[in-house]
Each structure stands twice: as structure tokens, then as C-alpha cells.
Amino acid sequence: MRIIKYFDLKDSECFIFDEFIINQVKEGVVIQPHHNDLLNDIVQENFSGKDLVYVSNRVKSYSVNPLIYPKTEKIPNLVAIAMIPLTDKMRKNAEYEREFYDKPYGIFDSLTAAIKWVHKILNERDQLLKFQK
């Protein structure tokens, strides 16, 4: 597992790996629906035709409009979201946001645990797709 690309965006830092994206939103940002457009552009540019998981490494304090999640679900090859909250308050926010997202959504205490889950989710999906063929 090695980083393929790095983007220092206006509102976040984005790390692209083979099977997932790790995004670290910057302090004080409010995540709104237009951020989905940017995420979708990055996904389509770097994962065209390939499934991936979005990993949010929440190391800074920021806000999320939970109404973005129904639009996020429509990114076709985004199969799951993993959250790594730094504080109890961030964990509570992530638990609340989970209610707005209907695909697999995990909350983890470490990046290592989240990445293990990413591989598990993608392997299970591969097995299901092979079985369906």
C-alpha cells in the first residue's frame, strides 16, 4: 500500500491510494453539497471503473451538513465510508451522520483499523460480484 497521489485542496488534504481515499478536512471548514462535486471529480479521475472506500481522518474540527450524504451515495463506485474521529464529540457527530448514509459506514479508533475494514469491505464485495456472475 503506497500513496499514488496527494492533493492539497482549499478545504482538505486528499491522499489517493489503490483502493481508497484518505481525506483530512481543514480546521473550521463546513462541508456542503458542492464538496461532493469535487469528491466525485477526484473519484472519477482516479478510480474510473474501480470500487473504492472514502476514509475521513478527522483530526481537525469542522462541520458537515448531513444532507450531503444522499448525494454522496450516488457516486457509483464509492462503496463505503470509514470515519476516524479524534474526539468523543467528533465520534458523536460521525454517529449522527451515519443515519443519513445507507451504504456501509464504519467508525474506527485508528487509521489501521479503518484500512483493515476497507480491505474487508472490498474483498466481500469482490466475492459477492464473483458469486453473482
Side-chain angles (χ1 to χ4, degrees), residues 53-71:
V53 177
Y54 175 88
V55 178
S56 178
N57 193 23
R58 293 191 169 182
V59 294
K60 303 287 184 183
S61 179
Y62 63 93
S63 301
V64 177
N65 176 346
L67 298 178
I68 67 164
Y69 286 103
K71 187 174 179 185

Side-chain angles (χ1 to χ4, degrees), residues 56-103:
S56 178
N57 193 23
R58 293 191 169 182
V59 294
K60 303 287 184 183
S61 179
Y62 63 93
S63 301
V64 177
N65 176 346
L67 298 178
I68 67 164
Y69 286 103
K71 187 174 179 185
T72 305
E73 284 178 13
K74 293 179 182 174
I75 298 174
N77 46 335
L78 180 63
V79 299
I81 291 178
M83 297 287 179
I84 310 158
L86 182 64
T87 67
D88 288 338
K89 182 179 180 184
M90 289 177 185
R91 178 173 286 277
K92 284 182 177 41
N93 289 342
E95 289 168 355
Y96 173 72
E97 292 164 22
R98 180 186 343 208
E99 301 300 316
F100 295 87
Y101 190 73
D102 288 331
K103 291 181 180 180

